[in-house]
Amino acid sequence: MDHIASFFGLKKPTPSKSTQSQKSGYTRPIRDAIVLCHDNTYYDVHFRNVHGGLDNVTVAQLKEHCKKMTGVTMASMKLKVSGAYIKDDTASLRSTGIHDGCIVQVMGEKPNYEQLKQTTTGNEEEVGYMINISKVMDRVEQSKERIEEFDMRVISIIESNEVEVVEKQRKEVEELGISLAELLMQSLITLDGVDCPSEFINARSRRREGVKLCQELMDHVDSTRSTLKETLKNRAE
């Protein structure tokens, strides 16, 4: 197998009894076996004890293996194969393009002690949900400056009596309003899709707070857009 490892620019690994992984490389597995790659470490995983092998193993089952080997929470985990993310946890590995000897990239967060202290359960999966929510809310928080800019530019148009100035700014301001509305709507949809178990109280609380903020900002942006539209309509009449 040396020539295969050489092809990928990797050194031939030496067996490890504990994790069966190597920082420097891996030995390509054979039938019903794949390679997980996380943080420059490679893990051999086989499903020869599963009837049907890769045809019957689901993405969700693979994620369970990934969690055990890498420590990445399933809630924050993303799998990537040949440059494409795998989105359907119920699909079989073979149907997603994963084949014998395939390299699957594992991405996601490993919870630390401080993060676990913020949960009500001490469960690392609750941390995973909270991380996902935080990523969405970071984008929402960053949008606040753009919302303020949008407000100021709308006020500028409403107060201006110069037709040329209004026409010059109108399209840009309308496009900014549309962009903000789409960002907030997408954030709201993403938060709605975070299905936290009932015992993850802190994660569920943060999700509710995020949904409330997104809805408030959406209503504000929609109101400002309506005001601009109505003002320009009245001027044209």
Side-chain angles (χ1 to χ4, degrees):
M1 304 297 287
D2 289 354
H3 66 289
I4 296 178
S6 176
F7 177 78
F8 286 99
L10 305 169
K11 297 178 181 179
K12 183 178 180 182
T14 54
S16 170
K17 294 181 180 179
S18 58
T19 63
Q20 297 182 354
S21 66
Q22 295 296 323
K23 288 283 183 181
S24 59
Y26 67 95
T27 299
R28 182 183 288 274
I30 51 176
R31 180 178 58 84
D32 291 325
I34 61 176
V35 175
L36 304 179
C37 175
H38 174 71
D39 195 22
N40 294 321
T41 302
Y42 293 84
Y43 306 83
D44 288 349
V45 181
H46 74 83
F47 298 99
R48 289 188 291 275
N49 58 332
V50 178
H51 179 70
L54 298 183
D55 290 315
N56 287 343
V57 177
T58 66
V59 173
Q61 290 172 316
L62 174 59
K63 284 186 174 181
E64 291 177 359
H65 282 273
C66 293
K67 178 181 176 180
K68 291 177 183 177
M69 291 184 163
T70 67
V72 173
T73 63
M74 291 179 65
S76 68
M77 187 183 299
K78 291 185 178 180
L79 303 181
K80 194 174 185 180
V81 178
S82 301
Y85 288 101
I86 302 175
K87 298 180 179 180
D88 185 2
D89 284 357
T90 64
S92 70
L93 299 189
R94 192 83 69 183
S95 69
T96 63
I98 297 177
H99 52 78
D100 298 335
C102 192
I103 300 175
V104 179
Q105 292 180 298
V106 183
M107 289 158 284
E109 307 289 340
K110 293 182 181 181
N112 56 44
Y113 177 70
E114 289 301 320
Q115 290 172 323
L116 288 171
K117 283 172 60 178
Q118 297 176 33
T119 68
T120 51
T121 60
N123 189 318
E124 63 270 16
E125 286 302 320
E126 184 172 3
V127 174
Y129 283 108
M130 292 169 72
I131 288 173
N132 289 345
I133 294 167
S134 294
K135 287 180 179 179
V136 176
M137 296 315 299
D138 284 345
R139 294 195 296 271
V140 173
E141 288 293 331
Q142 291 170 8
S143 73
K144 287 183 177 180
E145 289 186 6
R146 295 176 64 205
I147 292 174
E148 290 180 6
E149 176 193 350
F150 178 60
D151 289 345
M152 296 303 296
R153 295 183 69 178
V154 168
I155 292 173
S156 176
I157 290 176
I158 291 175
E159 293 181 345
S160 177
N161 292 319
E162 300 181 27
V163 177
E164 291 184 2
V165 173
V166 171
E167 288 302 317
K168 183 178 180 180
Q169 295 183 1
R170 174 178 177 174
K171 184 176 181 182
E172 290 183 2
V173 174
E174 287 177 340
E175 289 178 349
L176 177 57
I178 293 172
S179 174
L180 289 168
E182 289 176 347
L183 184 150
L184 293 169
M185 176 59 76
Q186 187 58 51
S187 298
L188 188 59
I189 292 172
T190 301
L191 289 173
D192 282 341
V194 179
D195 188 15
C196 301
S198 58
E199 63 269 22
F200 293 170
I201 298 175
N202 282 3
R204 291 171 67 87
S205 175
R206 291 193 182 186
R207 175 187 170 279
R208 284 194 299 270
E209 292 171 0
V211 169
K212 181 180 178 182
L213 178 59
C214 283
Q215 191 62 64
E216 289 175 350
L217 293 175
M218 277 183 58
D219 291 344
H220 177 83
V221 170
D222 288 344
S223 176
T224 305
R225 291 176 66 197
S226 295
T227 299
L228 175 62
K229 183 177 180 180
E230 189 65 26
T231 300
L232 294 175
K233 179 182 177 182
N234 291 338
R235 283 185 181 178
E237 291 177 349

